[in-house]
Amino acid sequence: GAVVSQHPSRVICKSGTSVKIECRSLDFQATTMFWYRQFPKQSLMLMATSNEGSKATYEQGVEKDKFLINHASLTLSTLTVTSAHPEDSSFYICSASGLAGNTGELFFGEGSRLTVL
Amino acid sequence: AQSVTQLGSHVSVSEGALVLLRCNYSSSVPPYLFWYVQYPNQGLQLLLKYTSAATLVKGINGFEAEFKKSETSFHLTKPSAHMSDAAEYFCATLNSNSGYALNFGKGTSLLVTP
């Protein structure tokens, strides 16, 4: 199946710094990428949807100025957590869709665990 | 909006026993339904998906799920549990309001005992 790669898999940073997480589709062109956040022992919550070349669409309650999403190419989307605080510590997972519409063919990255000290 | 509800946050079975993980959906239109598995500190792996073709869907690792419209259910089963099946399982449906992202259930943690 298609492969989606996230980097870094783990990152520890100091409070107030910014962290960038990359999501790459390795063998297909991802027209749409989704970013999810997962707290320990909880489900995945959709943060935002990004389409290549356009601004991301954020879910209600997600601060777009804090979680900057860029989808500059068909194979790369980045999530930047700006001025990170301990409450931003979480598991962030991206998924990518290479097919139009509602076929539901989504591929997930391995996730990135952010710890903010 | 389409949503799913997973009954039981924790399920424990003995090795070799039947696995049954429950999922009910809420949708006004024929849904697309999925089951994913997540191992610790990893992303999600698709087990199977229902896209309005056959109501009995066979997936990887011996799992299968049956779509029952009358019960609005899409329960996941496996005849004989292996120790390696211990993981978190998520039922999900497509969210047509968010560019076809997935709405996930809260997850069910499967424990397999020797």
Side-chain angles (χ1 to χ4, degrees), chain B residues 81-114:
Chain B
H82 294 160
M83 297 297 291
S84 60
D85 293 327
E88 191 81 16
Y89 291 81
F90 292 96
C91 182
T93 187
L94 272 179
N95 181 353
S96 58
N97 295 326
S98 294
Y100 298 100
L102 293 179
N103 280 345
F104 288 90
K106 295 194 174 190
T108 298
S109 179
L110 177 64
L111 174 66
V112 182
T113 57

Side-chain angles (χ1 to χ4, degrees), chain A residues 17-107:
Chain A
T17 61
S18 295
V19 174
K20 180 184 287 188
I21 300 170
E22 294 184 346
C23 178
R24 293 181 184 273
S25 57
L26 298 184
D27 55 0
F28 69 102
Q29 292 184 324
T31 53
T32 305
M33 286 187 172
F34 305 93
W35 286 94
Y36 294 85
R37 182 175 183 176
Q38 184 180 32
F39 290 104
K41 306 294 184 183
Q42 295 190 29
S43 188
L44 285 76
M45 301 300 297
L46 179 67
M47 298 175 66
T49 302
S50 73
N51 293 294
E52 185 265 339
S54 61
K55 290 184 177 180
T57 301
Y58 290 80
E59 294 299 298
Q60 191 173 11
V62 178
E63 299 176 62
K64 62 180 181 181
D65 294 330
K66 182 166 189 61
F67 298 100
L68 300 179
I69 292 172
N70 183 279
H71 192 165
S73 77
L74 285 171
T75 59
L76 174 64
S77 177
T78 60
L79 167 67
T80 302
V81 183
T82 62
S83 185
H85 289 95
E87 58 266 29
D88 299 324
S89 299
S90 192
F91 194 55
Y92 294 88
I93 303 176
C94 72
S95 69
S97 171
L99 303 174
N102 59 354
T103 59
E105 196 66 58
L106 287 176
F107 304 97

Side-chain angles (χ1 to χ4, degrees), chain B residues 13-40:
Chain B
V13 299
S14 300
E15 189 175 18
L18 171 72
V19 176
L20 171 61
L21 304 181
R22 300 177 185 274
C23 174
N24 288 88
Y25 68 90
S26 172
S27 175
S28 59
V29 298
Y32 287 89
L33 296 164
F34 308 81
W35 275 101
Y36 284 86
V37 61
Q38 184 181 34
Y39 298 98

Side-chain angles (χ1 to χ4, degrees), chain B residues 6-99:
Chain B
Q6 289 182 244
L7 302 177
S9 58
H10 294 81
V11 170
S12 180
V13 299
S14 300
E15 189 175 18
L18 171 72
V19 176
L20 171 61
L21 304 181
R22 300 177 185 274
C23 174
N24 288 88
Y25 68 90
S26 172
S27 175
S28 59
V29 298
Y32 287 89
L33 296 164
F34 308 81
W35 275 101
Y36 284 86
V37 61
Q38 184 181 34
Y39 298 98
N41 292 311
Q42 293 187 28
L44 276 70
Q45 182 181 13
L46 179 66
L47 286 175
L48 49 83
K49 64 180 179 181
Y50 169 76
T51 57
S52 72
T55 56
L56 182 62
V57 182
K58 294 188 182 297
I60 62 172
N61 301 340
F63 285 93
E64 62 182 37
E66 186 173 6
F67 175 77
K68 291 187 176 181
K69 185 177 180 179
S70 61
E71 299 178 6
T72 62
S73 68
F74 190 58
H75 301 332
L76 181 71
T77 60
K78 181 173 181 177
S80 177
H82 294 160
M83 297 297 291
S84 60
D85 293 327
E88 191 81 16
Y89 291 81
F90 292 96
C91 182
T93 187
L94 272 179
N95 181 353
S96 58
N97 295 326
S98 294

